Amino acid sequence: MKTTTETARALAYFHYWSVIHQDVKTQNILIDLETYTAKVSGFGAPRLLHEEENEVSTLPGKSGSFDPYDVFSFGVVLAELLTSQEVVSFDGPERSLVNVFVCSVQEGCLD
C-alpha cells in the first residue's frame, strides 16, 4: 500500500509540472532499502505536456495535467501487485493480465 501511494504521489507531482513519465512499470519503481520508500525511475523518454493537452483543474486557482498513458500504466502496475502475476505470462491460456481484467469487468466478475 505504501509503495503504491508513494508512486501515485510521485506521478501526480510530475503531472502537476506537466512532465509525463511515459514508461510506468514495476521495473521502474525502486525501493530505497534504508527508508523503504518508493522511488520512480526510468525517465529515458519523458516529455512535457503542452497546455492544450488534457488540462484539468486540480485545485482552485491551480491547474495540472494528467496523461492517460501514465494513468493506464499505473493501473497495470496495481493489477500486478494485486494479483502477484506478471503483465505477460506464457503459463496458461491467457497471456495478458490486462485482457484478464478487461474480460472480468465486461463479464461483471471482477472480485
Side-chain angles (χ1 to χ4, degrees), residues 2-90:
K2 180 181 176 202
T3 301
T4 56
T5 302
E6 290 172 347
T7 302
R9 284 185 180 147
L11 292 172
Y13 178 81
F14 298 136
H15 290 180
Y16 179 81
W17 293 105
S18 300
V19 175
I20 305 307
H21 189 280
Q22 297 194 133
D23 195 21
V24 178
K25 58 187 176 186
T26 52
Q27 294 87 343
N28 287 338
I29 300 170
L30 309 176
I31 305 297
D32 184 320
L33 294 178
E34 291 181 16
T35 61
Y36 295 103
T37 56
K39 307 288 183 180
V40 177
S41 68
F43 285 91
R47 71 179 177 95
L48 291 176
L49 189 67
H50 299 291
E51 287 183 26
E52 63 274 3
E53 297 180 70
N54 300 324
E55 191 168 299
V56 295
S57 176
T58 54
L59 294 172
K62 296 191 175 202
S63 67
S65 301
F66 69 94
D67 182 67
Y69 185 79
D70 274 4
V71 173
F72 174 81
S73 298
F74 182 67
V76 173
V77 169
L78 289 176
E80 283 183 274
L81 292 171
L82 289 170
T83 63
S84 299
Q85 296 180 16
E86 295 186 31
V87 175
V88 177
S89 173
F90 297 101

